[in-house]
Amino acid sequence: MQPDLELVAVPSQGSFKMWSHGYPYRTVRWHFHPEYEIHLITSTTGKYFVGDYIGSFAPGNLVVVGSNLPHNWVSNVPPGEHVKERCLVLQFDREFIERAVKAFPEFKRVESLLDASRSGVVFSQQTGAAAEPIMREMLATQGLRRIALFIALLDLLVQSPEPTRLASASYCADPACYSGTRINHVLAYIGKNLSQELRETELAELSGQSVSAFSRYFRRHTGVPFVQYVNRLRIDLACQLLMAGELSVTEICYRVGFNNLSNFNRQFLLIKEMPPSRWRAWQQLNASSPAGSGEAEQASAAYG
């Protein structure tokens, strides 16, 4: 079974992506991405798959997955039940580390960890327990503190007892082969043209399928309908632009591919459970609160 491509949207105002998700979730499938991933299970048990490796996981399972290495975690959760948070996930690209090594020679120790992650590596439960508070704080932190926590996490990993490699030495990830599959060709096209008008009929034609067949095929591989998948990516991009603070909500609406403001507001509210203006105000409050400045009070007053 060929893995699906996951489009990782690293924030434009950040060096890496730190997030969490529950179970079931749309990204829980056999997939790959060019970015490195540090994956920590916080709840549930089940089976995980890294390359040609199959193992059992429980809370505290901490794995570093290398670039383009297929992976997936499948939890033992009864059908119909939902877990609010299953894991914490940190994703970053190789160029970020290479730039860091040039600026700070101390980062060179991280290269051996990334080299080992080509096969995927799992750390001890003790290391997983030590990593959780660091990763959890990263979820809500902005600015230099976020970088400090990233360095603390890497320092924890490189100083921990040697992790266990997962995929066999003979296993070789082949992103060129994966990307040639029909669904990954479609997903890559969506990622490159997110700000343009995207029609399901045109994507069906691109994949050589009828619209109905494409609709079923797309949902089977991504877990969500085509329109919902595109809207989520656009809202993720909108959040990056809202955090940057340089564009108005209306400008962002059209920049990310929506053709009218009311639909943008409706989709944003559906996915983020608040309007974009309020989401931006919360982020401003979060960024300014450590200093206790008047700006924090103004941000709070903006939405009552």
Side-chain angles (χ1 to χ4, degrees):
M1 183 177 63
Q2 296 284 29
D4 292 338
L5 171 66
E6 178 183 313
L7 301 177
V8 176
V10 175
S12 59
Q13 299 299 308
S15 302
F16 52 85
K17 180 179 181 179
M18 181 70 216
W19 58 301
S20 65
H21 67 74
Y23 187 89
Y25 192 72
R26 60 185 175 83
T27 61
V28 179
R29 63 187 190 279
W30 183 233
H31 69 284
F32 75 103
H33 41 72
E35 294 76 13
Y36 292 89
E37 177 171 308
I38 301 176
H39 193 110
L40 175 66
I41 294 292
T42 58
S43 67
T44 76
T45 61
K47 291 290 185 182
Y48 69 113
F49 308 79
V50 177
D52 60 358
Y53 174 84
I54 302 175
S56 299
F57 71 82
N61 173 255
L62 177 63
V63 174
V64 180
V65 179
S67 176
N68 293 315
L69 180 63
H71 54 281
N72 190 25
W73 279 254
V74 180
S75 293
N76 296 322
V77 174
E81 291 190 12
H82 179 77
V83 176
K84 186 175 182 179
E85 181 191 275
R86 199 273 296 270
C87 57
L88 303 174
V89 182
L90 190 156
Q91 296 164 319
F92 56 94
D93 59 35
R94 181 84 190 197
E95 288 72 24
F96 169 49
I97 296 297
E98 289 177 346
R99 293 193 300 270
V101 170
K102 288 181 179 179
F104 305 101
E106 292 84 355
F107 264 85
K108 197 162 184 66
R109 290 190 62 191
V110 178
E111 292 184 328
S112 60
L113 170 63
L114 299 186
D115 288 341
S117 73
R118 294 175 183 172
S119 301
V121 289
V122 60
F123 288 82
S124 67
Q125 291 284 331
Q126 291 78 8
T127 300
E132 181 170 355
I134 300 174
M135 297 180 72
R136 195 167 293 286
E137 185 179 348
M138 291 169 74
L139 284 173
T141 302
Q142 301 287 334
L144 291 177
R145 176 59 179 165
R146 201 163 177 261
I147 295 296
L149 291 167
F150 181 81
I151 294 173
L153 179 61
L154 293 183
D155 186 55
L156 170 67
L157 298 183
V158 298
Q159 296 201 52
S160 295
E162 187 173 351
T164 302
R165 295 204 181 205
L166 299 175
S168 66
S170 61
Y171 183 85
C172 181
D174 188 357
C177 177
Y178 309 151
S179 298
T181 62
R182 179 183 295 168
I183 187 63
N184 290 331
H185 183 47
V186 168
L187 295 180
Y189 181 88
I190 292 173
K192 292 176 181 177
N193 297 278
L194 196 59
S195 62
Q196 308 300 315
E197 185 175 12
L198 292 168
R199 298 177 183 272
E200 191 168 12
T201 52
E202 295 174 353
L203 271 296
E205 183 178 349
L206 180 67
S207 67
Q209 296 174 297
S210 68
V211 176
S212 59
F214 172 78
S215 180
R216 293 191 299 270
Y217 176 74
F218 190 91
R219 183 161 189 162
R220 185 171 69 250
H221 281 271
T222 64
V224 294
F226 171 78
V227 172
Q228 186 177 343
Y229 180 88
V230 171
N231 283 342
R232 282 178 171 175
L233 288 181
R234 285 174 170 166
I235 295 303
D236 286 346
L237 178 57
C239 288
Q240 295 181 35
L241 297 176
L242 286 166
M243 290 179 68
E246 298 172 357
L247 301 174
S248 69
V249 171
T250 301
E251 290 173 321
I252 291 172
C253 162
Y254 294 105
R255 179 72 64 89
V256 301
F258 286 95
N259 55 20
N260 68 77
L261 186 59
S262 61
N263 186 38
F264 171 66
N265 286 328
R266 183 167 58 253
Q267 294 301 326
F268 198 100
L269 181 63
L270 179 66
I271 294 172
K272 296 298 181 180
E273 300 182 343
M274 64 182 73
S277 57
R278 181 174 295 181
W279 191 92
R280 170 179 269 174
W282 274 117
Q283 292 298 329
Q284 292 172 343
L285 176 64
N286 184 43
S288 59
S289 59
S293 67
E295 292 179 355
E297 296 178 2
Q298 293 174 10
S300 178
Y303 52 83

